[in-house]
Amino acid sequence: KIYAEPAAAPASQRQFPMMVLPIETAISMERMPKHEDIQGDLVEWTPGMGSVVFFSHTWLGFKEPDPQGVKWQLARKILRKALAGTLQVSPHWSIELIFGKLKVTAKEIKKQLTNGFVWCDYASVPQADAEAQGRAIASLASYVADSAMFICLAGPWEHADNGSIRDMRAWANRGWCRLENLANAVATGKRQLIV
């Protein structure tokens, strides 16, 4: 079985609640939502609620993560396919050669994410309150530990302000992304890095 129900992170590890969006709500939003703009849509995740998809990514602008909306459109497409039962994840053949069969079927993903939630930094972490933002950032490892899926949104996109390419290599070089990836690697349960 590819997915194991994550063990809830001890409350003492979390300095800020894990604020998530219901998947259906996230799909209905045209742009990546800002935390302060969607207070009524966010819910505090607690153990026993539906599964959480953790989206990790680099920002495509200095002031906002997705000025052109390309990342959020990809996230919505992934979520729609997951709920429709048409999203299947297959690793590169060389990875399976080393680690064995790791394919995640569309049926497994649909079951896992039906009635699920989304964690995404811009939506789930306060952007205007520096003190609350710091507490949420300090809680990142616990958010990852309580997520069922860890997805990296890394396309061949260009940063709007400095022209740098923000692909998988850029993601792997960012400190925050490395922290999230490390938290995913050491989390209890079998959870793959999906790119």
Side-chain angles (χ1 to χ4, degrees):
K1 183 175 179 181
I2 296 299
Y3 293 112
E5 188 64 33
S12 62
Q13 289 182 4
R14 192 166 286 155
Q15 297 178 31
F16 189 84
M18 185 176 184
M19 303 306 292
V20 294
L21 274 171
I23 287 178
E24 294 289 353
T25 303
I27 289 172
S28 74
M29 296 178 166
E30 292 292 322
R31 305 279 299 182
M32 186 178 289
K34 184 177 179 181
H35 181 83
E36 287 75 12
D37 296 338
I38 57 166
Q39 291 292 311
D41 294 314
L42 290 167
V43 295
E44 181 179 346
W45 185 88
T46 57
M49 292 174 63
S51 297
V52 176
V53 176
F54 186 102
F55 282 116
S56 180
H57 63 103
T58 61
W59 283 31
L60 297 179
F62 291 137
K63 295 189 188 245
E64 65 176 296
D66 193 16
Q68 304 302 318
V70 293
K71 284 181 185 267
W72 195 247
Q73 293 309 313
L74 175 59
R76 291 172 66 211
K77 182 178 180 180
I78 290 167
L79 295 170
R80 275 193 213 102
K81 289 180 79 172
L83 295 184
T86 60
L87 178 67
Q88 180 169 289
V89 177
S90 299
H92 190 269
W93 66 267
S94 62
I95 299 298
E96 283 197 332
L97 185 65
I98 297 167
F99 297 105
K101 294 292 179 192
L102 296 174
K103 181 172 81 172
V104 186
T105 68
K107 184 178 178 180
E108 287 177 284
I109 293 171
K110 181 178 180 177
K111 181 179 177 186
Q112 188 78 15
L113 297 185
T114 298
N115 299 315
F117 300 90
V118 170
W119 188 97
C120 180
D121 60 354
Y122 198 56
S124 301
V125 173
Q127 301 300 307
D129 180 340
E131 187 272 330
Q133 184 180 61
R135 289 188 292 119
I137 290 170
S139 303
L140 273 175
S142 75
Y143 302 154
V144 174
D146 280 340
S147 298
M149 289 182 76
F150 185 89
I151 298 177
C152 170
L153 298 174
W157 299 309
E158 188 174 308
H159 193 280
D161 298 310
N162 67 16
S164 64
I165 300 301
R166 310 312 293 165
D167 59 7
M168 183 63 184
R169 269 183 282 187
W171 176 83
N173 285 324
R174 295 276 305 149
W176 292 119
C177 299
R178 285 181 178 187
L179 171 68
E180 293 167 353
N181 193 27
L182 177 62
N184 185 54
V186 300
T188 306
K190 226 174 176 183
R191 188 173 25 262
Q192 298 172 352
L193 163 60
I194 300 170
V195 180

